[in-house]
């Protein structure tokens, strides 16, 4: 159980790095703690909406993604386009971080708080 909590915490911190990077680039927000909370809320919303609607073909994953975007949109200034841009930058930056860490043998290839990774 402790191992799972450690993996969750590290994955959450890596996911928050992506959100922080996306928010810094898109809306010039510089609060990493805020990004951690956003990643945690996003992961919870992603999980809950995915549990209830994720099984619906085509529509389910779209609803899950829109719910995640709604979290980003609610937590950061700007609109839906900025939220989508933050998500794209977050996804790309986490992808790079995880690739490097996996290449070095430090971690697996997943993170909490950024969808699809």
């Amino acid at each position: 159980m402790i191992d799972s909590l450690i993996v969750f915490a590290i994955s959450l911190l890596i996911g928050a790095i992506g959100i922080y990077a996306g928010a810094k680039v898109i809306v010039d927000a510089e609060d990493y703690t805020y990004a951690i909370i956003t990643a945690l809320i996003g992961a919870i919303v992603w999980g809950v909406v995915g549990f209830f609607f994720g099984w619906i073909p085509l529509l389910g994953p779209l609803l899950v993604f829109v719910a995640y975007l709604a979290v980003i949109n609610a937590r950061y200034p700007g609109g839906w386009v900025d939220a989508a841009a933050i998500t794209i930058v977050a996804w790309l930056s986490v992808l790079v971080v995880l690739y490097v860490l996996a290449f070095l043998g430090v971690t697996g290839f997943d993170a909490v708080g950024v969808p699809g990774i």
Side-chain angles (χ1 to χ4, degrees):
M1 169 113 165
I2 299 230
D3 290 343
S4 295
L5 289 174
I6 290 170
V7 168
F8 175 80
I10 291 170
S11 295
L12 181 63
L13 294 175
I14 292 171
I17 288 171
I19 293 173
Y20 174 81
K24 174 70 177 140
V25 170
I26 303 303
V27 295
D28 200 32
E30 295 189 24
D31 190 349
Y32 183 66
T33 304
Y34 198 78
I36 293 172
I37 295 167
T38 302
L40 182 60
I41 293 169
I44 292 168
V45 167
W46 182 272
V48 169
V49 175
F51 177 78
F52 288 109
F53 301 107
W55 59 270
I56 302 170
L58 299 173
L59 182 61
L62 180 63
L63 289 174
V64 173
F65 185 69
V66 168
Y68 179 81
L69 279 179
V71 170
I72 301 295
N73 187 37
R75 301 271 303 159
Y76 287 99
W80 288 95
V81 173
D82 285 341
I86 290 170
T87 301
I88 290 168
V89 172
W91 187 83
L92 290 172
S93 61
V94 168
L95 190 66
V96 169
V97 169
L98 289 177
Y99 178 78
V100 169
L101 291 176
F103 180 76
L104 296 174
V106 175
T107 185
F109 204 70
D110 58 340
V112 174
V114 176
I117 295 183

